[in-house]
Amino acid sequence: MKTRRASGRPTIADVARLAGVGAITVSRAIRDPNQVSEELRNRIEEAIRELNYVPNVQAQILASGQSNVIAVLLPSLTNSVYADVIRGIYDKVAPTRFHIQIGNTRYSEQEEDRLVALFAWQRPAAMLLAGLDQSETTRSFLADAEFPIVQIMEHGPAIDMGIGCSHKDAARAAVTHLIDCGYRRIAFLGARKDPRMMRRRDGYREALAALPGAKPIELLTPEPSGVARGRALFSQLLDTATDIDAVACGNDDLALGALFECQARGIAVPEQMGIIGFNDLEMAAAAVPAISTVRIDRYEMGRRAIGMLLDRLEGKKVGEPIVDIGFDVIRRASTSAVDQGVSAARSAKGG
Amino acid sequence: MKTRRASGRPTIADVARLAGVGAITVSRAIRDPNQVSEELRNRIEEAIRELNYVPNVQAQILASGQSNVIAVLLPSLTNSVYADVIRGIYDKVAPTRFHIQIGNTRYSEQEEDRLVALFAWQRPAAMLLAGLDQSETTRSFLADAEFPIVQIMEHGPAIDMGIGCSHKDAARAAVTHLIDCGYRRIAFLGARKDPRMMRRRDGYREALAALPGAKPIELLTPEPSGVARGRALFSQLLDTATDIDAVACGNDDLALGALFECQARGIAVPEQMGIIGFNDLEMAAAAVPAISTVRIDRYEMGRRAIGMLLDRLEGKKVGEPIVDIGFDVIRRASTSAVDQGVSAARSAKGG
DNA sequence: ATGAAAGCGCTAACAA
DNA sequence: TTGTTAGCGCTTTCAT
């Protein structure tokens, strides 16, 4: 009569029958073994093994109303920066009951608005966003969401929780390092013009403001970043600003491009031109000369962001809701003819 | 009485009541509007808007037995190669009702076995795997899975469907290009020793076999790849094999590292040393000199792999279940003192 | 500590 | 074309 479909796989009722207990006892034995007497627990566990029983997640979620999805919205899936973050996220989530659902906003605020709404309707257990610059619509929409939210990458006022660092401070430290090395005509190269990039530009300006008589020399494109882009931009810059002696790049792609352009033109780095990047991609250390840069522990940032969400989901108290993960200025050969050693100037309050 | 919990958000019953129809009619109006008369459809759509109704996905899946999850298992989330594939996957899936669930096997067969079993128990709608070298356990386990499976990266005998190219042929073509340029003492650099890397090594050997009197000079490490690793490996190679005049690298990271090592040692590329990489990462084209390499359209591979799965899920017939996506040897300055133009030698059967 | 009954929100089956 | 009924597999409520 009413068999309908039935997935074919064993249900909790099958386990209960085999173990000679009620279905609810099986359910308890799975979720909180302490609630069940040892004898029944053993019988149930054996029945589970024998039937090869695996709980149906959809049914669990439907019955309990507890989602197991953590929504993750990132501006890019290709950029190495986010690849590292993603790795940290997955590593932290792997041993838990939660799953990651990734959305790619493509650096577009509109796409972010769309995806936040889309994902929020699915009632995720939690949400992770990149940056602090969501649209007003999204901010207010999320402000009274019932799930925990963490924003990564930047340090500042978050909707709920946040972990990151000040890109402005980091860039200021990088440019200050150039100044300390004796460079005086320092340019800034940027691409994509996303919020982090613009804050780094601001940091560059602040550092230059402390250098009497120096005036900003900036070249930014809204186009995506890349090594080739860095090379082209720097080439363009060299053609117009002939007297610059150093360049602060908004990321390591651009910095490597600038280095290549110097090689192509026979400009000696670091003697005639200092170069510093941002992000400390793996390639930066291997370049000739090794490229100075700013390091942020992105993997750890991803891990800790998920950790903060998990703490909240488990009802634990999260220590600091807004964490400054800090940064390190990595001094390499590209910014000093004399000091070729790798040394680091640690920033950060957050530990 | 029995109110229990209730999520608070409107249900299909609320919509049905407001529209004055049965719940199933609302269900039909959502899934296949053609089944419902225009008048009811309009009333229902208005009710949905008014209540801000969004279907509960978990309930849909539970009731229909139709999962909306496509499981994707990749060996790395950080490697640019897979980042491009992931982008293709997400772009293709975005407009559908399906979601991606990613697992990171970390180049470990054991971890792949574990994750395949874990994901398979969740009854995904489909599964995407990387490579053809799954364990025998996993292959036979998946051979009678009821969901479609696609294996990407390589061309060859797949469990169900596959799209990729022959890495052996591709590497052979790359090395043959070196030979055509006049290089005679050609070494091979490899890292990670994953299946694709070993097939590229095999292609190198095949190409050398066609060169009378040439004997393989190989240096492979099981350690992960990277620019720094490429530099270190090539340095090691140069210290022992002093008379090589070209190096075929298993990927572009290694190739860039080799180039940097040449720069550090004052070895002229391409005059004294030819270098060719694999994958055509963005940086390869911007290097000085630009690095020759082998291009595989990874983004497209990801897209088409998902396309094949979607076709099957929609009951469409998939044209070819095993697709050769081909490769291009990209000739750049690093392999020819005379020919600095970028030209491509197209391979590929699959279009 | 254990169980019976109800129902989470939806859709397949059957009927009208 | 539309509705009624049962039930997907699990967990909550309430009772013992």
Side-chain angles (χ1 to χ4, degrees), chain A residues 77-118:
Chain A
L77 304 180
T78 319
N79 190 324
S80 290
V81 168
Y82 294 104
D84 289 332
V85 172
I86 289 175
R87 206 162 41 84
I89 289 172
Y90 272 89
D91 282 0
K92 185 73 179 181
V93 155
T96 72
R97 70 179 186 89
F98 294 97
H99 288 294
I100 296 300
Q101 195 127 330
I102 288 195
N104 182 0
T105 65
R106 302 156 189 275
Y107 290 100
S108 151
E109 193 175 81
Q110 283 177 23
E111 187 65 3
E112 185 171 64
D113 288 350
R114 196 182 71 83
L115 288 176
V116 164
L118 185 70

Side-chain angles (χ1 to χ4, degrees), chain A residues 37-199:
Chain A
S37 70
E38 195 177 324
E39 190 197 326
L40 289 193
R41 208 187 320 141
N42 291 335
R43 294 213 324 251
I44 289 167
E45 277 165 9
E46 202 189 307
I48 288 177
R49 253 193 308 282
E50 191 167 326
L51 293 174
N52 234 320
Y53 168 74
V54 179
N56 180 320
V57 186
Q58 317 301 345
Q60 284 181 319
I61 295 172
L62 179 58
S64 68
Q66 301 228 330
S67 163
N68 67 341
V69 172
I70 297 178
V72 171
L73 295 184
L74 298 175
S76 165
L77 304 180
T78 319
N79 190 324
S80 290
V81 168
Y82 294 104
D84 289 332
V85 172
I86 289 175
R87 206 162 41 84
I89 289 172
Y90 272 89
D91 282 0
K92 185 73 179 181
V93 155
T96 72
R97 70 179 186 89
F98 294 97
H99 288 294
I100 296 300
Q101 195 127 330
I102 288 195
N104 182 0
T105 65
R106 302 156 189 275
Y107 290 100
S108 151
E109 193 175 81
Q110 283 177 23
E111 187 65 3
E112 185 171 64
D113 288 350
R114 196 182 71 83
L115 288 176
V116 164
L118 185 70
F119 280 48
W121 281 124
Q122 316 279 1
R123 302 264 162 149
M127 189 177 275
L128 184 152
L129 298 170
L132 303 171
D133 300 87
Q134 286 72 29
S135 73
E136 190 44 44
T137 316
T138 288
R139 278 191 77 90
S140 63
F141 175 70
L142 290 178
D144 37 48
E146 71 281 18
F147 46 80
I149 298 163
V150 65
Q151 288 160 281
I152 63 168
M153 303 309 291
E154 301 199 58
H155 179 65
I159 299 170
D160 181 6
M161 298 183 289
I163 180 166
C165 73
S166 166
H167 287 238
K168 191 169 83 172
D169 290 357
R172 176 155 29 79
V175 176
T176 301
H177 166 63
L178 286 175
I179 295 171
D180 291 346
C181 287
Y183 299 105
R184 286 297 172 266
R185 298 277 303 160
I186 304 170
F188 181 85
L189 233 51
R192 178 69 83 179
K193 289 195 169 180
D194 64 293
R196 262 81 64 206
M197 183 61 75
M198 297 322 278
R199 295 213 168 90

Side-chain angles (χ1 to χ4, degrees), chain A residues 215-238:
Chain A
K215 58 175 192 293
I217 308 158
E218 300 170 3
L219 185 54
L220 288 95
T221 171
E223 297 293 307
S225 181
V227 180
R229 185 87 57 194
R231 219 185 133 171
L233 281 177
F234 194 54
S235 175
Q236 189 183 332
L237 191 69
L238 288 173

Side-chain angles (χ1 to χ4, degrees), chain A residues 9 58 91 106 122-123, chain B residues 9 57-58 91 106 121:
Chain A
R9 66 195 234 187
Q58 317 301 345
D91 282 0
R106 302 156 189 275
Q122 316 279 1
R123 302 264 162 149
Chain B
R9 65 195 234 186
V57 185
Q58 318 301 343
D91 282 0
R106 301 158 190 274
W121 281 123

